[in-house]
């Protein structure tokens, strides 16, 4: 499938999705969101893809937010509708698919860009990255799940500060706040993401998908995460990957999932 605003490539069990609008600092417009939706769904369906790595083209930006020029015209109703659609098509989708994703944050990750990184399962930042949710400086609030996911990741007090001040933080500050897992040089960014991907690739995709589902369940208000965990734990038994994983252990060999 060919795309206009993203590049999607598959290599060694990893699907690399690069947001590619460098002249607009990779800002998310509707077409980009729709293309990301298609690429993520396609990667998730492909059994050969074990990990998705999301990044931005060139060195300056991961994603500098939603496309301000596009959303400047919205009214209250279309804004709410677009927030619902965008959350469903991209941010909720990415967070809830069974294929683990790593955001390799190569520069500015602002507004919708940071929201995209936060919907990913793991975040790594290059040392030049700048992160923030500057929406209130534009007269809106984060609309792609940012008020919820930021508070889940860094805690309510820090989320309050970051969102109300609209300030940007450095990669090191983001690491200190628990917003990103690792900081590395720009040159090492994909390599660092790949090192994590290689560890993930050795494990059972079926079990990983159930673990992601169980972890996410704990952050929903209408679901008991412990109950989901028990059910998903039980569902692992008898699956071919469970049989292979346990047989490999007993036979003192590496599992082949
Ligand atoms: N949208 C559109 N174009 C953008 C952009 C953005 N978010 N960010 C940068 N660009 C464009 C600039 O307009 C400029 O284009 P030209 O003027 O060359 O045509 C080009 O990228 C290069 O940017 P700068 O010239 O500004 O580069 P600088 O190095 O001087 O500054 C910067 C870099 C990242 C500090 C600056 O570009 C900047 O402040 N960018 C905007 C950051 C921002 O506020 N992002 C938006 C956050 S709000 C919604 C749901 C969610 C949201 C909205 C709606 N609905 C469901 C309706 C989320 C909103 C947000 O993300």
């Amino acid at each position: 499938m060919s795309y206009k605003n993203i590049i999607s490539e598959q290599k060694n069990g990893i699907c690399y999705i690069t947001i590619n609008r460098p002249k607009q600092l990779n800002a998310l417009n509707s077409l980009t969101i729709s293309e990301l939706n298609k690429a993520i769904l396609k990667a998730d369906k492909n059994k050969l893809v074990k990990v998705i790595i999301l990044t931005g083209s060139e060195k300056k930006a991961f994603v500098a937010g939603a496309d301000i020029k596009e959303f400047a015209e919205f009214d209250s109703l279309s804004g709410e509708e677009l927030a619902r659609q965008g959350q469903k098509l991209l941010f909720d989708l990415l967070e809830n698919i069974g294929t683990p994703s790593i955001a390799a944050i190569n520069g500015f990750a602002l507004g919708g860009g940071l929201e995209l990184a936060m919907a990913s399962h793991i975040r790594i930042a290059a040392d030049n990255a700048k992160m923030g949710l500057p929406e209130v400086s534009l007269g809106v609030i984060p609309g792609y799940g940012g008020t919820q996911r930021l508070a889940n990741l860094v805690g309510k007090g820090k989320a309050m500060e970051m969102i109300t001040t609209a300030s940007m933080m450095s990669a090191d500050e983001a690491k200190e706040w628990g917003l990103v897992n690792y900081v590395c040089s720009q040159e090492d960014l994909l390599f660092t993401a790949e090192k994590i991907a290689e560890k993930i690739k050795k494990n059972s995709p079926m079990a990983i998908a159930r673990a992601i589902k169980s972890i996410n369940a704990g952050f929903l208000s209408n679901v008991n995460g412990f109950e989901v965990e028990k059910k998903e734990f039980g569902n692992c038994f008898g699956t071919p990957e469970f049989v292979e994983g346990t047989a490999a252990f007993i036979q003192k060999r590496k599992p082949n999932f």
Side-chain angles (χ1 to χ4, degrees):
M1 198 180 293
S2 71
Y3 302 103
K4 184 163 172 269
N5 292 345
I6 66 167
I7 300 164
S8 179
E9 300 161 301
Q10 191 197 319
K11 206 169 47 179
N12 297 330
I14 301 174
C15 179
Y16 296 83
I17 300 179
T18 307
I19 297 118
N20 188 31
R21 297 181 77 210
K23 288 198 177 110
Q24 293 81 22
L25 302 188
N26 301 324
L28 293 178
N29 62 0
S30 317
L31 179 64
T32 311
I33 290 177
S34 153
E35 290 186 348
L36 284 167
N37 165 272
K38 291 192 179 84
I40 291 164
L41 279 174
K42 193 168 174 225
D44 189 45
K45 278 197 195 112
N46 185 343
K47 296 274 173 260
L48 297 175
V49 172
K50 311 287 186 206
V51 181
I52 295 170
I53 296 180
L54 278 161
T55 195
S57 66
E58 302 192 359
K59 292 190 174 168
K60 192 167 172 180
F62 173 71
V63 170
D67 191 316
I68 299 172
K69 291 162 196 165
E70 188 181 67
F71 78 68
E73 306 295 318
F74 295 161
D75 61 18
S76 165
L77 269 182
S78 57
E80 185 180 333
E81 181 50 26
L82 276 148
R84 279 186 203 289
Q85 279 301 317
Q87 287 196 21
K88 191 169 116 199
L89 286 178
L90 179 54
F91 302 84
D92 291 354
L93 172 76
L94 184 62
E95 184 172 53
N96 291 304
I97 53 169
T99 309
S101 56
I102 304 173
I105 305 170
N106 54 310
F108 288 110
L110 302 174
L114 182 57
E115 289 174 305
L116 183 65
M118 291 193 295
S120 306
H121 300 119
I122 296 169
R123 282 154 294 286
I124 302 166
D127 51 14
N128 68 321
K130 292 266 182 215
M131 283 155 267
L133 292 178
E135 282 86 345
V136 296
S137 71
L138 296 165
V140 286
I141 66 167
Y144 287 137
T147 60
Q148 307 304 299
R149 290 192 182 97
L150 184 64
N152 285 340
L153 283 166
V154 304
K156 184 175 166 185
K158 286 175 176 166
M160 287 284 185
E161 179 183 336
M162 204 167 149
I163 291 173
T164 57
T165 61
S167 39
M168 285 188 215
M169 60 166 59
S170 68
D172 285 334
E173 286 170 310
K175 167 94 178 3
E176 199 182 310
W177 281 33
L179 183 53
V180 301
N181 297 21
Y182 300 97
V183 177
C184 59
S185 67
Q186 177 98 42
E187 292 69 37
D188 282 344
L189 184 63
L190 281 186
F191 176 65
T192 307
E194 284 161 355
K195 272 204 305 198
I196 298 173
E198 289 307 319
K199 288 188 191 174
I200 294 172
K201 277 166 59 182
K202 293 186 181 135
N203 302 318
S204 154
M206 175 281 299
I208 286 173
R210 294 185 195 282
I212 290 173
K213 187 174 173 187
S214 304
I215 294 167
N216 283 343
F219 292 88
L220 300 172
S221 56
N222 55 344
V223 176
N224 183 324
F226 288 95
E227 288 305 317
V228 174
E229 182 188 273
K230 284 176 218 158
K231 193 164 171 22
E232 292 304 328
F233 178 78
N235 285 341
C236 294
F237 287 78
T239 63
E241 290 184 24
F242 172 80
V243 173
E244 168 61 11
T246 47
F249 177 80
I250 292 161
Q251 293 160 13
K252 298 191 185 300
R253 61 171 174 83
K254 297 222 177 310
N256 180 16
F257 293 117

